[in-house]
Amino acid sequence: MPDTLQSAHRIVVKVGSSLVTNEGKGLDQSAIANWAEQFAQLRAMGKEVLMVSSGAIAEGMKRLGWSKRPTHMHELQAAAAVGQMGLAQVYETSFRKYAIQTAQVLLTHADLTDRARYLNARSTLRTLLELGVVPIINENDTVVTDEIKFGDNDTLGALVVNLMDADLLIILTDQQGLFNADPRKDPTAKLINLANAGDPALENMAGGAGTLYGRGGMISKVLAAKRAASSGACTLIASGREPQILLRLAQGESIGTWLQAPTPKLSARKQWMADHLQMRGKLILDAGAVRALQEDGKSLLPIGVIKVEGDFSRGEVVSCSSCEGVEIARGLTNYSASEARLIARKSSSQIKEILGFVEEAELIHRDNLVLI
Ligand code: GLU
């Protein structure tokens, strides 16, 4: 059994609607308080934790007095808008007891495929983690319906893992994990302890379970694990009703279903950059910048850039080369080509004066850069 939660540094925990709202009865304050307590302890162990929580629709339905899930999308979206108010409130109050600040972050899948928005979301979330704030993330159900139709935020959890280069996705649900058959119908069904994320056999086993209040059956969890594995992260599917589940996992206890990522994180990230993003430009670096990147593990600052080639926007991938023409890194640029030309060879403290605003002090942040 891999000791993934013990070794994981950045963790995304996704909790489903039926857990968050006690199967639609209303926001489960004690369950949320319990996760807050466990998060506090995980942070004391030096881990960074992000929460992806659904439950907005279920809570909204309760607040609006609807006992049956509506079929029309616009009604579900309206319910989500109502319920999200309560969701944010309970998370805020529960985490505050442990002196932890929370932040509400509403994202869509499209936000994470658009390059500039991807970088904006990544920078915001990274800053929140640096500030010690726990992001509480949900889909922005007013403008999109992906998770309402299918995932109950399972997919969103995986997208956040990819976005933040997290080590582990923990999907807490109302089942013990993934079984080789539906345990509600087949008493001989066995829990799968360990498998490879992306194994096609898992998709057959998971086939379409679902509860009244959340859309995400096992199939969306298995697909989320496959997506998380594309950036090298493992997924754990386990019961959110197990007492102290996160802490027990952190102590190495074997609970639920581990879905391992077949490719290690760093090469998966390089692959992801190669597959998902076309290179739009090139930065030629001086010897000091090459050293800073290759030897010191630093970010690329504008002062180290001698020349900017090509035409690119914020969030696109650019190649970084030495004066001798050797490619040494690739990364997501914080500034467009025209902005980069203006700030090249300048100190970061001059960016504000030159451009009138500062996206970041770095031209490419270390977290958004892979060495070639
Ligand atoms: N984003 C939705 C929520 O928070 C997903 C869950 C659902 O479809 O019920 O409620």
Side-chain angles (χ1 to χ4, degrees), residues 55-56 194 268 341:
L194 179 63
R341 283 189 182 100

mmCIF file of all heavy atoms in Angstrom, residues 55-56 194 268 341:
data_model
loop_
_atom_site.group_PDB
_atom_site.id
_atom_site.type_symbol
_atom_site.label_atom_id
_atom_site.label_comp_id
_atom_site.label_asym_id
_atom_site.label_seq_id
_atom_site.Cartn_x
_atom_site.Cartn_y
_atom_site.Cartn_z
ATOM 1 N N GLY A 55 -22.858 20.426 -2.736
ATOM 2 C CA GLY A 55 -23.884 20.557 -1.708
ATOM 3 C C GLY A 55 -24.713 21.819 -1.855
ATOM 4 O O GLY A 55 -25.705 22.004 -1.145
ATOM 5 N N ALA A 56 -24.331 22.684 -2.796
ATOM 6 C CA ALA A 56 -25.068 23.939 -2.948
ATOM 7 C C ALA A 56 -26.499 23.679 -3.417
ATOM 8 O O ALA A 56 -27.456 24.257 -2.887
ATOM 9 C CB ALA A 56 -24.337 24.852 -3.933
ATOM 10 N N LEU A 194 -6.528 -1.343 -4.040
ATOM 11 C CA LEU A 194 -5.470 -0.680 -4.791
ATOM 12 C C LEU A 194 -5.596 -1.010 -6.266
ATOM 13 O O LEU A 194 -5.788 -2.164 -6.632
ATOM 14 C CB LEU A 194 -4.117 -1.186 -4.254
ATOM 15 C CG LEU A 194 -2.848 -0.663 -4.881
ATOM 16 C CD1 LEU A 194 -2.724 0.836 -4.665
ATOM 17 C CD2 LEU A 194 -1.637 -1.377 -4.285
ATOM 18 N N ALA A 268 4.885 13.677 -15.535
ATOM 19 C CA ALA A 268 3.493 13.881 -15.946
ATOM 20 C C ALA A 268 3.253 15.372 -16.227
ATOM 21 O O ALA A 268 2.583 15.735 -17.177
ATOM 22 C CB ALA A 268 2.549 13.389 -14.862
ATOM 23 N N ARG A 341 8.640 42.479 -23.650
ATOM 24 C CA ARG A 341 9.681 43.278 -24.337
ATOM 25 C C ARG A 341 9.970 44.553 -23.553
ATOM 26 O O ARG A 341 11.117 44.991 -23.461
ATOM 27 C CB ARG A 341 9.225 43.639 -25.753
ATOM 28 C CG ARG A 341 9.354 42.467 -26.685
ATOM 29 C CD ARG A 341 9.128 42.766 -28.162
ATOM 30 N NE ARG A 341 9.243 41.497 -28.849
ATOM 31 C CZ ARG A 341 8.210 40.752 -29.245
ATOM 32 N NH1 ARG A 341 6.975 41.181 -29.096
ATOM 33 N NH2 ARG A 341 8.430 39.579 -29.799
#
